[in-house]
Amino acid sequence: MPLIQLQDVSKLYGFGDATTLALDEVNLTIDKGEFVAVMGPSGCGKSTLLNLIGLLDKPSHGQYRLNDKLVSRLNSNQAAKIRRDKIGFIFQFFNLLPKLSALENVALPLTYKGVTQTKRLKIASEMLDRVGVQDREYYLPGQLSGGQLQCVAIARALVNNPQIIIADEPTGNLDSGSSRLVMELLSEIHKMGNTIIFVTHNPELTRFATRVVYMHDGSIVHDESSTVGRVANRARKVLYTLPATKEEDDLAGVSLLMKALPIKSSISDRLSPKYLTKNNIKRRSKRKALGKQAK
Amino acid sequence: MIGVKLISSFRAGMQVVKSAKLRSLSLMLGIIIGVASVITVIAISTGIKAQISSQIRSYGPDIITIRPTSVGLGSGLVRGSDLANFSISNPMILKDIKTVSQATGVAEVAPLTLVSGPVKSSSGVYKPGFVVGTSSSLPNLINQSLAFGNFFTSSPANNGNVAVLGQTAAQDLFNENVPLGSSFTFHGQNFVVAGIFNSFNATPLSREANFNNAIFIPNSTAESLTNDTAPTYEIFARAKQVNQTSIVAKNIAAALDTEHGGVSNLSVSTGNQNIAQNNNILNLLTGLIAGVAAVSLLVAGIGIMNVMLVSVSERVREIGIRKAVGATNQQIRSQFMAEAAFISLIGGILGLALAFIIDMAIRASTYLTPIITWQSVVLATGVSLIIGIVFGTIPATRAASKDPIEALRTE
Ligand SMILES: Nc1ncnc2c1ncn2[C@@H]1O[C@H](COP(=O)(O)OP(=O)(O)OP(=O)(O)O)[C@@H](O)[C@H]1O
Ligand SMILES: [Mg+2]
């Protein structure tokens, strides 16, 4: 039984002419214990996908099953309870409450479960120990380094013993040393049996993943399983083209970033006849349908 | 479980207070002032009611008082007040006293007749003093005992140029506590002190002046000194049978009306009526001031609502984080409600403390003895809690309805 099952899931933002198709009939199945990296250029829908999986948001169309239970139409309270019990979030900007100590921040999710204060702080302290920042228990977020902040955030994500950890660019604000620390921590958590889904722009970090999903323009364009310890195949292509800043490129105005992201390959993918017939036709018909709706 | 919630709400409230110290203090000010004024007004009014009814009780509920309807209110609130503050537009005369004493069922009568003129003793003119003509029944009627000597009796032998003094008058006229047998001059005649009253109770808001300054002489003497022109501003009477008091009061009123040719410009009331009347006036006043205070509490409530709204908009990201880690809308709402209630409750408690300070100040500087009852303490606490909850509802609901993703995106 798969843990996460997305079936033709779409997400639309805005109305009428300003409508954005952030997710376009995505199908994705994730089993328990997978460590999934999500890659893709900015704006391709990675965060949208993670928010949907984390039940912070609802799909516009399609079905989402979590543990074989349909969760795509839950009300906000039901969703909150599933987030509380099954999902832990790690954010790029840490999202700790600045007026609470590290310990209180970690204990926060337990508050909403009705755990008593003493028990909360005890569990939170154990969690901080697990992520290696127990000596910073009484520090406020403002007094911690980025790496330490993310460790505290990871402790908070773990405190409710969730099945799924969702991390949207957890290393996006960290230097390479702290990034490694955070990813190693996530690896350990993964080894304990948790399912982890994370977004990254850094191909190197696919080394930690068991599977890499590439997105473009709201769709999953490539999905490969990868060996832990090795950079994923598709990501490696990006990695090795990365330092190639040629003078011609600068002159032609091609940004390094554009080259760095797996756009080129995905474009070639999409130009393949199979992709065109299957995906683009669907898209066109949907645009038409949307147009009609708008009228 | 509830305890845990309360404690965590309390801590959350502390955070708000800490984070917006000045702002919450300024909005607490509304609650503080509102609560303090409501409590003070109620305390003063309770105190006055207690004082008046104890005074009337000491006169006895079976005492009938007859007064002109238009006696100006003496300023009993001010220390050292005397009859100079009175304005009697329609004083009673000797005939009225007779009519009252001859009315059916009346047992005894004592008038209070004001005789103006300087009182001179060996130590000079006694200015704050005033001379009251009355009958031998007075001590019995107003339940006032003598400390020394005897009151004059109704027998003519004991009746003439004798006087009974209030304690202050005795002290001030002769510089001694027991000046029995001493004499003073009034209207060119010599008066001998026959007795000295025990101290009279303070009489706030009542029409009596401070009788401790008074010099009582027989009414017949008073009338003869002034050729029957001295104004009588109050007559006390008692019915032969206590249970007949209200009927006798009606008899007196009827007799006076007949005497005055059908014009009723005198009020006849019994002790019980007085209590009721005074309470009515006080309740009205209390209601009025309490109403004003309630408006100030309302304004304070709106202030709390505004600050909470600002606080919610400043803390959108926090709301997003809390929701992401599993807070339900209801839990977010409770948190903000608890914060509002907490701020308001603290304001209420501070207001209560202020009321106690004001109470002490009033006791120290006036004759009033405000009484803060436990009911008004409960009322203040309850009202401030309710204000917090009522005016916290809109901000809390707004906080609860934030979309988690948008909330997380805001800076
Ligand atoms: N609330 C919103 N209203 C309108 N459009 C939105 C909203 N949120 C996201 N979008 C659009 O949906 C698309 C996908 O956004 P998303 O945040 O998922 O991208 P992303 O892959 O996470 O990008 P990045 O790598 O920069 O974080 C973008 O085109 C974005 O403009
Ligand atoms: Mg994103």
Side-chain angles (χ1 to χ4, degrees), chain A residues 51 56-57 76-77 80 83-84 89 91 93 95-97 99-100 104 108-109 112 114-117 120 156, chain B residues 1 4 7-8 11 15 19 317-318 321-332 335 403-405 408:
Chain A
N51 289 341
L56 279 173
D57 209 350
S76 58
N77 276 351
R83 284 201 298 275
R84 185 189 71 192
F89 288 94
F91 303 92
F93 296 103
N95 276 341
L96 298 170
L97 294 184
K99 279 172 196 136
L100 299 187
E104 289 166 323
L108 191 64
Y112 297 114
V115 181
T116 62
Q117 166 114 356
R120 277 205 308 262
R156 180 182 65 186
Chain B
M1 180 78 193
V4 171
I7 290 167
S8 67
R11 287 165 58 87
Q15 280 169 40
S19 69
R317 197 180 178 83
E318 175 190 330
I321 294 170
R322 288 180 183 272
K323 284 197 162 186
V325 302
T328 61
N329 293 359
Q330 186 50 49
Q331 283 166 326
I332 298 284
Q335 180 198 335
D403 175 65
I405 294 180
L408 282 170

Tab-separated table of all heavy atoms in Angstrom, chain A residues 51 56-57 76-77 80 83-84 89 91 93 95-97 99-100 104 108-109 112 114-117 120 156, chain B residues 1 4 7-8 11 15 19 317-318 321-332 335 403-405 408:
chain	number	residue	atom	x	y	z
A	51	ASN	N	3.142	21.525	-0.530
A	51	ASN	CA	2.058	22.040	0.310
A	51	ASN	C	0.826	21.155	0.235
A	51	ASN	O	0.128	20.965	1.232
A	51	ASN	CB	1.697	23.467	-0.103
A	51	ASN	CG	2.781	24.450	0.295
A	51	ASN	OD1	3.606	24.150	1.149
A	51	ASN	ND2	2.786	25.612	-0.345
A	56	LEU	N	-1.322	21.477	3.677
A	56	LEU	CA	-1.458	22.906	3.964
A	56	LEU	C	-2.390	23.525	2.932
A	56	LEU	O	-2.893	24.625	3.114
A	56	LEU	CB	-0.093	23.598	3.882
A	56	LEU	CG	0.814	23.478	5.099
A	56	LEU	CD1	2.180	24.063	4.798
A	56	LEU	CD2	0.206	24.171	6.305
A	57	ASP	N	-2.580	22.821	1.833
A	57	ASP	CA	-3.368	23.344	0.731
A	57	ASP	C	-4.195	22.205	0.150
A	57	ASP	O	-3.904	21.031	0.398
A	57	ASP	CB	-2.409	23.909	-0.338
A	57	ASP	CG	-3.061	25.050	-1.102
A	57	ASP	OD1	-4.274	25.265	-0.933
A	57	ASP	OD2	-2.334	25.724	-1.866
A	76	SER	N	-10.645	22.333	7.128
A	76	SER	CA	-9.365	22.813	7.656
A	76	SER	C	-9.021	22.172	9.004
A	76	SER	O	-7.847	21.954	9.308
A	76	SER	CB	-9.391	24.334	7.771
A	76	SER	OG	-10.451	24.726	8.596
A	77	ASN	N	-10.022	21.860	9.812
A	77	ASN	CA	-9.717	21.252	11.109
A	77	ASN	C	-9.217	19.821	10.965
A	77	ASN	O	-8.268	19.424	11.650
A	77	ASN	CB	-10.960	21.262	12.004
A	77	ASN	CG	-11.117	22.581	12.723
A	77	ASN	OD1	-10.212	23.422	12.684
A	77	ASN	ND2	-12.257	22.776	13.352
A	80	ALA	N	-5.753	20.027	9.783
A	80	ALA	CA	-4.841	20.441	10.852
A	80	ALA	C	-4.469	19.248	11.727
A	80	ALA	O	-3.310	19.089	12.132
A	80	ALA	CB	-5.485	21.539	11.696
A	83	ARG	N	-1.994	17.071	9.891
A	83	ARG	CA	-0.678	17.728	9.926
A	83	ARG	C	-0.020	17.509	11.272
A	83	ARG	O	1.163	17.214	11.381
A	83	ARG	CB	-0.831	19.244	9.713
A	83	ARG	CG	-1.096	19.667	8.298
A	83	ARG	CD	-0.736	21.130	8.098
A	83	ARG	NE	-1.514	22.061	8.904
A	83	ARG	CZ	-2.697	22.539	8.545
A	83	ARG	NH1	-3.260	22.176	7.410
A	83	ARG	NH2	-3.331	23.389	9.316
A	84	ARG	N	-0.831	17.664	12.319
A	84	ARG	CA	-0.308	17.563	13.674
A	84	ARG	C	0.225	16.153	13.951
A	84	ARG	O	1.290	15.994	14.538
A	84	ARG	CB	-1.441	17.891	14.653
A	84	ARG	CG	-1.044	17.951	16.086
A	84	ARG	CD	-2.265	18.061	16.954
A	84	ARG	NE	-3.010	16.805	16.955
A	84	ARG	CZ	-4.247	16.674	17.452
A	84	ARG	NH1	-4.881	17.716	17.937
A	84	ARG	NH2	-4.846	15.513	17.440
A	89	PHE	N	6.995	19.629	9.203
A	89	PHE	CA	7.465	20.553	8.173
A	89	PHE	C	8.826	21.150	8.517
A	89	PHE	O	9.082	21.507	9.668
A	89	PHE	CB	6.481	21.717	8.002
A	89	PHE	CG	5.206	21.332	7.329
A	89	PHE	CD1	4.092	20.971	8.076
A	89	PHE	CD2	5.115	21.325	5.943
A	89	PHE	CE1	2.920	20.612	7.449
A	89	PHE	CE2	3.942	20.970	5.318
A	89	PHE	CZ	2.835	20.603	6.074
A	91	PHE	N	11.216	24.282	6.846
A	91	PHE	CA	11.111	25.349	5.862
A	91	PHE	C	12.480	25.945	5.538
A	91	PHE	O	13.418	25.840	6.326
A	91	PHE	CB	10.210	26.473	6.379
A	91	PHE	CG	8.832	26.025	6.754
A	91	PHE	CD1	8.542	25.646	8.060
A	91	PHE	CD2	7.814	25.992	5.813
A	91	PHE	CE1	7.274	25.238	8.422
A	91	PHE	CE2	6.536	25.593	6.171
A	91	PHE	CZ	6.264	25.216	7.473
A	93	PHE	N	13.124	29.117	5.450
A	93	PHE	CA	13.406	30.234	6.368
A	93	PHE	C	13.118	29.854	7.819
A	93	PHE	O	12.734	30.691	8.624
A	93	PHE	CB	12.628	31.473	5.939
A	93	PHE	CG	13.048	31.978	4.590
A	93	PHE	CD1	12.259	31.745	3.467
A	93	PHE	CD2	14.254	32.632	4.423
A	93	PHE	CE1	12.668	32.181	2.218
A	93	PHE	CE2	14.664	33.075	3.178
A	93	PHE	CZ	13.871	32.844	2.067
A	95	ASN	N	11.245	29.344	10.057
A	95	ASN	CA	9.911	29.544	10.642
A	95	ASN	C	9.815	29.114	12.095
A	95	ASN	O	8.891	28.410	12.491
A	95	ASN	CB	8.847	28.805	9.812
A	95	ASN	CG	8.405	29.641	8.633
A	95	ASN	OD1	8.601	30.854	8.620
A	95	ASN	ND2	7.824	29.004	7.644
A	96	LEU	N	10.757	29.576	12.890
A	96	LEU	CA	10.632	29.396	14.338
A	96	LEU	C	9.991	30.662	14.897
A	96	LEU	O	10.131	31.739	14.324
A	96	LEU	CB	12.004	29.174	14.965
A	96	LEU	CG	12.726	27.920	14.475
A	96	LEU	CD1	14.163	27.903	14.960
A	96	LEU	CD2	12.001	26.668	14.929
A	97	LEU	N	9.289	30.530	16.017
A	97	LEU	CA	8.695	31.715	16.634
A	97	LEU	C	9.786	32.467	17.397
A	97	LEU	O	10.416	31.918	18.300
A	97	LEU	CB	7.561	31.333	17.584
A	97	LEU	CG	6.347	30.713	16.903
A	97	LEU	CD1	5.238	30.456	17.915
A	97	LEU	CD2	5.827	31.611	15.794
A	99	LYS	N	9.936	34.675	19.630
A	99	LYS	CA	9.864	34.999	21.061
A	99	LYS	C	9.890	33.774	21.944
A	99	LYS	O	9.849	33.894	23.168
A	99	LYS	CB	8.614	35.829	21.334
A	99	LYS	CG	8.854	37.282	20.984
A	99	LYS	CD	7.612	38.100	21.062
A	99	LYS	CE	7.834	39.405	20.341
A	99	LYS	NZ	6.694	39.767	19.504
A	100	LEU	N	9.936	32.600	21.317
A	100	LEU	CA	10.017	31.381	22.112
A	100	LEU	C	11.443	30.846	22.056
A	100	LEU	O	12.128	30.984	21.040
A	100	LEU	CB	9.054	30.324	21.576
A	100	LEU	CG	7.556	30.662	21.584
A	100	LEU	CD1	6.743	29.448	21.173
A	100	LEU	CD2	7.108	31.146	22.946
A	104	GLU	N	10.980	25.742	23.600
A	104	GLU	CA	9.544	26.002	23.470
A	104	GLU	C	9.087	25.863	22.028
A	104	GLU	O	7.977	25.399	21.758
A	104	GLU	CB	9.218	27.404	23.996
A	104	GLU	CG	9.332	27.517	25.498
A	104	GLU	CD	9.334	28.954	25.992
A	104	GLU	OE1	9.918	29.830	25.299
A	104	GLU	OE2	8.770	29.201	27.053
A	108	LEU	N	6.199	23.217	20.603
A	108	LEU	CA	4.956	23.835	20.120
A	108	LEU	C	3.928	22.837	19.560
A	108	LEU	O	2.756	22.885	19.944
A	108	LEU	CB	5.299	24.914	19.078
A	108	LEU	CG	4.159	25.837	18.674
A	108	LEU	CD1	3.685	26.657	19.856
A	108	LEU	CD2	4.602	26.759	17.549
A	109	PRO	N	4.329	21.917	18.665
A	109	PRO	CA	3.312	21.009	18.111
A	109	PRO	C	2.616	20.170	19.188
A	109	PRO	O	1.443	19.841	19.052
A	109	PRO	CB	4.117	20.103	17.169
A	109	PRO	CG	5.322	20.906	16.820
A	109	PRO	CD	5.642	21.697	18.044
A	112	TYR	N	-0.639	21.511	20.809
A	112	TYR	CA	-1.918	21.342	20.132
A	112	TYR	C	-2.421	19.922	20.235
A	112	TYR	O	-3.482	19.583	19.736
A	112	TYR	CB	-1.785	21.813	18.684
A	112	TYR	CG	-1.457	23.282	18.652
A	112	TYR	CD1	-0.245	23.759	18.173
A	112	TYR	CD2	-2.362	24.206	19.164
A	112	TYR	CE1	0.059	25.101	18.190
A	112	TYR	CE2	-2.069	25.551	19.192
A	112	TYR	CZ	-0.859	25.999	18.707
A	112	TYR	OH	-0.574	27.334	18.742
A	114	GLY	N	-2.381	18.644	23.342
A	114	GLY	CA	-2.837	18.613	24.724
A	114	GLY	C	-1.871	17.929	25.674
A	114	GLY	O	-2.268	17.477	26.742
A	115	VAL	N	-0.602	17.848	25.286
A	115	VAL	CA	0.394	17.271	26.192
A	115	VAL	C	0.711	18.290	27.283
A	115	VAL	O	0.778	19.489	27.007
A	115	VAL	CB	1.678	16.912	25.405
A	115	VAL	CG1	2.719	16.279	26.312
A	115	VAL	CG2	1.342	15.985	24.254
A	116	THR	N	0.912	17.827	28.510
A	116	THR	CA	1.170	18.775	29.603
A	116	THR	C	2.522	19.458	29.420
A	116	THR	O	3.426	18.917	28.784
A	116	THR	CB	1.197	18.069	30.973
A	116	THR	OG1	2.258	17.124	30.955
A	116	THR	CG2	-0.111	17.385	31.267
A	117	GLN	N	2.615	20.623	30.008
A	117	GLN	CA	3.805	21.460	29.831
A	117	GLN	C	5.101	20.727	30.182
A	117	GLN	O	6.044	20.715	29.401
A	117	GLN	CB	3.655	22.701	30.726
A	117	GLN	CG	4.935	23.481	30.897
A	117	GLN	CD	4.836	24.858	30.274
A	117	GLN	OE1	3.838	25.196	29.657
A	117	GLN	NE2	5.850	25.650	30.434
A	120	ARG	N	5.811	18.084	27.696
A	120	ARG	CA	6.173	18.718	26.420
A	120	ARG	C	7.647	19.071	26.408
A	120	ARG	O	8.387	18.748	25.488
A	120	ARG	CB	5.385	20.025	26.259
A	120	ARG	CG	4.014	19.877	25.732
A	120	ARG	CD	3.545	21.146	25.041
A	120	ARG	NE	3.659	22.388	25.778
A	120	ARG	CZ	2.659	22.958	26.448
A	120	ARG	NH1	1.482	22.390	26.493
A	120	ARG	NH2	2.828	24.106	27.047
A	156	ARG	N	11.658	20.170	15.854
A	156	ARG	CA	10.232	20.484	15.957
A	156	ARG	C	9.416	19.598	15.016
A	156	ARG	O	8.342	19.125	15.360
A	156	ARG	CB	9.983	21.956	15.626
A	156	ARG	CG	8.514	22.339	15.728
A	156	ARG	CD	8.262	23.779	15.365
A	156	ARG	NE	8.565	24.031	13.964
A	156	ARG	CZ	8.548	25.241	13.412
A	156	ARG	NH1	8.273	26.299	14.154
A	156	ARG	NH2	8.829	25.403	12.147
B	1	MET	N	-6.277	19.117	31.565
B	1	MET	CA	-6.358	19.488	30.142
B	1	MET	C	-6.744	20.967	30.006
B	1	MET	O	-6.057	21.744	29.381
B	1	MET	CB	-7.416	18.588	29.486
B	1	MET	CG	-7.608	18.853	28.010
B	1	MET	SD	-6.308	18.116	27.020
B	1	MET	CE	-6.594	18.907	25.466
B	4	VAL	N	-4.058	22.999	31.575
B	4	VAL	CA	-2.918	23.161	30.663
B	4	VAL	C	-3.199	24.277	29.679
B	4	VAL	O	-2.386	25.166	29.452
B	4	VAL	CB	-2.658	21.846	29.904
B	4	VAL	CG1	-1.628	22.068	28.813
B	4	VAL	CG2	-2.206	20.771	30.862
B	7	ILE	N	-3.049	27.636	31.351
B	7	ILE	CA	-1.682	28.077	31.637
B	7	ILE	C	-0.995	28.514	30.354
B	7	ILE	O	-0.365	29.567	30.314
B	7	ILE	CB	-0.886	26.957	32.344
B	7	ILE	CG1	-1.443	26.775	33.758
B	7	ILE	CG2	0.594	27.299	32.402
B	7	ILE	CD1	-0.972	25.526	34.439
B	8	SER	N	-1.186	27.726	29.293
B	8	SER	CA	-0.488	28.113	28.069
B	8	SER	C	-1.089	29.393	27.498
B	8	SER	O	-0.383	30.226	26.948
B	8	SER	CB	-0.508	26.983	27.044
B	8	SER	OG	-1.808	26.764	26.609
B	11	ARG	N	0.424	32.118	29.450
B	11	ARG	CA	1.772	32.419	28.993
B	11	ARG	C	1.747	33.179	27.677
B	11	ARG	O	2.489	34.130	27.481
B	11	ARG	CB	2.568	31.128	28.851
B	11	ARG	CG	2.956	30.547	30.202
B	11	ARG	CD	3.415	29.114	30.029
B	11	ARG	NE	4.548	29.037	29.108
B	11	ARG	CZ	5.807	29.173	29.482
B	11	ARG	NH1	6.092	29.395	30.736
B	11	ARG	NH2	6.772	29.084	28.609
B	15	GLN	N	3.081	36.918	26.759
B	15	GLN	CA	3.893	37.295	25.597
B	15	GLN	C	3.364	38.556	24.935
B	15	GLN	O	4.111	39.447	24.587
B	15	GLN	CB	3.882	36.181	24.558
B	15	GLN	CG	4.841	35.058	24.871
B	15	GLN	CD	4.575	33.890	23.958
B	15	GLN	OE1	4.317	34.084	22.775
B	15	GLN	NE2	4.622	32.695	24.503
B	19	SER	N	5.267	41.891	24.539
B	19	SER	CA	5.626	42.369	23.211
B	19	SER	C	5.073	43.760	22.951
B	19	SER	O	5.628	44.505	22.170
B	19	SER	CB	5.122	41.401	22.149
B	19	SER	OG	3.718	41.456	22.094
B	317	ARG	N	2.456	35.572	10.311
B	317	ARG	CA	3.409	34.496	10.093
B	317	ARG	C	3.382	33.491	11.249
B	317	ARG	O	3.422	32.278	11.034
B	317	ARG	CB	4.814	35.083	9.925
B	317	ARG	CG	5.784	34.094	9.296
B	317	ARG	CD	7.152	34.713	9.156
B	317	ARG	NE	8.079	33.760	8.598
B	317	ARG	CZ	8.198	33.512	7.309
B	317	ARG	NH1	7.433	34.158	6.443
B	317	ARG	NH2	9.065	32.624	6.881
B	318	GLU	N	3.290	34.039	12.454
B	318	GLU	CA	3.189	33.160	13.623
B	318	GLU	C	1.968	32.255	13.502
B	318	GLU	O	2.040	31.053	13.794
B	318	GLU	CB	3.086	34.003	14.895
B	318	GLU	CG	2.847	33.156	16.126
B	318	GLU	CD	2.487	33.962	17.370
B	318	GLU	OE1	2.940	35.115	17.490
B	318	GLU	OE2	1.754	33.419	18.209
B	321	ILE	N	2.719	29.531	11.111
B	321	ILE	CA	3.589	28.505	11.703
B	321	ILE	C	2.787	27.599	12.625
B	321	ILE	O	2.865	26.372	12.553
B	321	ILE	CB	4.742	29.173	12.486
B	321	ILE	CG1	5.656	29.936	11.524
B	321	ILE	CG2	5.531	28.132	13.259
B	321	ILE	CD1	6.678	30.825	12.207
B	322	ARG	N	1.978	28.218	13.472
B	322	ARG	CA	1.188	27.428	14.415
B	322	ARG	C	0.249	26.483	13.675
B	322	ARG	O	0.053	25.333	14.069
B	322	ARG	CB	0.399	28.344	15.348
B	322	ARG	CG	1.290	29.047	16.366
B	322	ARG	CD	0.487	29.959	17.283
B	322	ARG	NE	1.346	30.689	18.201
B	322	ARG	CZ	1.738	30.233	19.388
B	322	ARG	NH1	1.330	29.054	19.796
B	322	ARG	NH2	2.520	30.954	20.163
B	323	LYS	N	-0.328	26.993	12.585
B	323	LYS	CA	-1.232	26.130	11.818
B	323	LYS	C	-0.462	24.994	11.153
B	323	LYS	O	-0.932	23.862	11.101
B	323	LYS	CB	-1.978	26.943	10.774
B	323	LYS	CG	-3.086	27.778	11.373
B	323	LYS	CD	-4.060	28.238	10.318
B	323	LYS	CE	-5.366	28.672	10.979
B	323	LYS	NZ	-6.383	28.998	9.984
B	324	ALA	N	0.731	25.307	10.644
B	324	ALA	CA	1.520	24.276	9.974
B	324	ALA	C	1.861	23.142	10.935
B	324	ALA	O	1.866	21.978	10.551
B	324	ALA	CB	2.795	24.878	9.397
B	325	VAL	N	2.121	23.470	12.198
B	325	VAL	CA	2.468	22.405	13.135
B	325	VAL	C	1.226	21.772	13.756
B	325	VAL	O	1.344	20.972	14.678
B	325	VAL	CB	3.431	22.870	14.248
B	325	VAL	CG1	4.706	23.410	13.653
B	325	VAL	CG2	2.772	23.876	15.164
B	326	GLY	N	0.050	22.131	13.258
B	326	GLY	CA	-1.126	21.358	13.646
B	326	GLY	C	-2.177	22.070	14.471
B	326	GLY	O	-3.098	21.433	14.964
B	327	ALA	N	-2.067	23.408	14.651
B	327	ALA	CA	-3.105	24.113	15.390
B	327	ALA	C	-4.371	24.175	14.553
B	327	ALA	O	-4.314	24.506	13.368
B	327	ALA	CB	-2.645	25.528	15.727
B	328	THR	N	-5.500	23.849	15.149
B	328	THR	CA	-6.767	23.988	14.435
B	328	THR	C	-7.219	25.443	14.537
B	328	THR	O	-6.722	26.196	15.374
B	328	THR	CB	-7.851	23.093	15.052
B	328	THR	OG1	-8.045	23.495	16.402
B	328	THR	CG2	-7.448	21.630	15.021
B	329	ASN	N	-8.196	25.802	13.696
B	329	ASN	CA	-8.732	27.162	13.750
B	329	ASN	C	-9.218	27.487	15.152
B	329	ASN	O	-9.000	28.577	15.667
B	329	ASN	CB	-9.910	27.306	12.780
B	329	ASN	CG	-9.458	27.203	11.348
B	329	ASN	OD1	-8.273	27.041	11.082
B	329	ASN	ND2	-10.392	27.293	10.421
B	330	GLN	N	-9.881	26.506	15.779
B	330	GLN	CA	-10.435	26.723	17.109
B	330	GLN	C	-9.325	27.017	18.115
B	330	GLN	O	-9.450	27.892	18.966
B	330	GLN	CB	-11.233	25.475	17.524
B	330	GLN	CG	-11.985	25.626	18.818
B	330	GLN	CD	-12.827	26.895	18.844
B	330	GLN	OE1	-13.574	27.183	17.903
B	330	GLN	NE2	-12.680	27.695	19.899
B	331	GLN	N	-8.213	26.302	17.975
B	331	GLN	CA	-7.099	26.515	18.915
B	331	GLN	C	-6.482	27.896	18.736
B	331	GLN	O	-6.115	28.551	19.708
B	331	GLN	CB	-6.044	25.411	18.745
B	331	GLN	CG	-6.480	24.108	19.386
B	331	GLN	CD	-5.631	22.921	18.966
B	331	GLN	OE1	-5.157	22.846	17.832
B	331	GLN	NE2	-5.462	21.983	19.866
B	332	ILE	N	-6.376	28.342	17.482
B	332	ILE	CA	-5.849	29.692	17.240
B	332	ILE	C	-6.807	30.723	17.815
B	332	ILE	O	-6.394	31.679	18.487
B	332	ILE	CB	-5.668	29.943	15.724
B	332	ILE	CG1	-4.664	28.960	15.131
B	332	ILE	CG2	-5.262	31.377	15.455
B	332	ILE	CD1	-3.231	29.259	15.426
B	335	GLN	N	-6.542	30.916	21.535
B	335	GLN	CA	-5.316	31.590	21.955
B	335	GLN	C	-5.503	33.106	21.956
B	335	GLN	O	-5.199	33.786	22.942
B	335	GLN	CB	-4.165	31.214	21.028
B	335	GLN	CG	-2.850	31.892	21.412
B	335	GLN	CD	-1.836	31.878	20.286
B	335	GLN	OE1	-1.890	31.023	19.411
B	335	GLN	NE2	-0.925	32.833	20.320
B	403	ASP	N	-5.362	31.785	6.015
B	403	ASP	CA	-4.937	30.623	5.247
B	403	ASP	C	-3.480	30.320	5.583
B	403	ASP	O	-2.634	31.214	5.539
B	403	ASP	CB	-5.085	30.936	3.753
B	403	ASP	CG	-4.545	29.806	2.905
B	403	ASP	OD1	-5.129	28.720	2.970
B	403	ASP	OD2	-3.519	30.013	2.216
B	404	PRO	N	-3.154	29.075	5.937
B	404	PRO	CA	-1.797	28.793	6.419
B	404	PRO	C	-0.701	29.131	5.400
B	404	PRO	O	0.336	29.675	5.788
B	404	PRO	CB	-1.822	27.294	6.731
B	404	PRO	CG	-3.070	26.756	6.162
B	404	PRO	CD	-4.031	27.896	6.031
B	405	ILE	N	-0.928	28.825	4.137
B	405	ILE	CA	0.140	29.079	3.156
B	405	ILE	C	0.383	30.570	2.983
B	405	ILE	O	1.521	31.042	3.026
B	405	ILE	CB	-0.216	28.447	1.805
B	405	ILE	CG1	-0.244	26.933	1.973
B	405	ILE	CG2	0.799	28.836	0.733
B	405	ILE	CD1	-0.580	26.205	0.734
B	408	LEU	N	2.144	31.898	5.941
B	408	LEU	CA	3.576	31.570	5.979
B	408	LEU	C	4.370	32.414	4.996
B	408	LEU	O	5.563	32.620	5.158
B	408	LEU	CB	3.782	30.089	5.652
B	408	LEU	CG	3.486	29.121	6.800
B	408	LEU	CD1	3.482	27.695	6.303
B	408	LEU	CD2	4.507	29.301	7.918
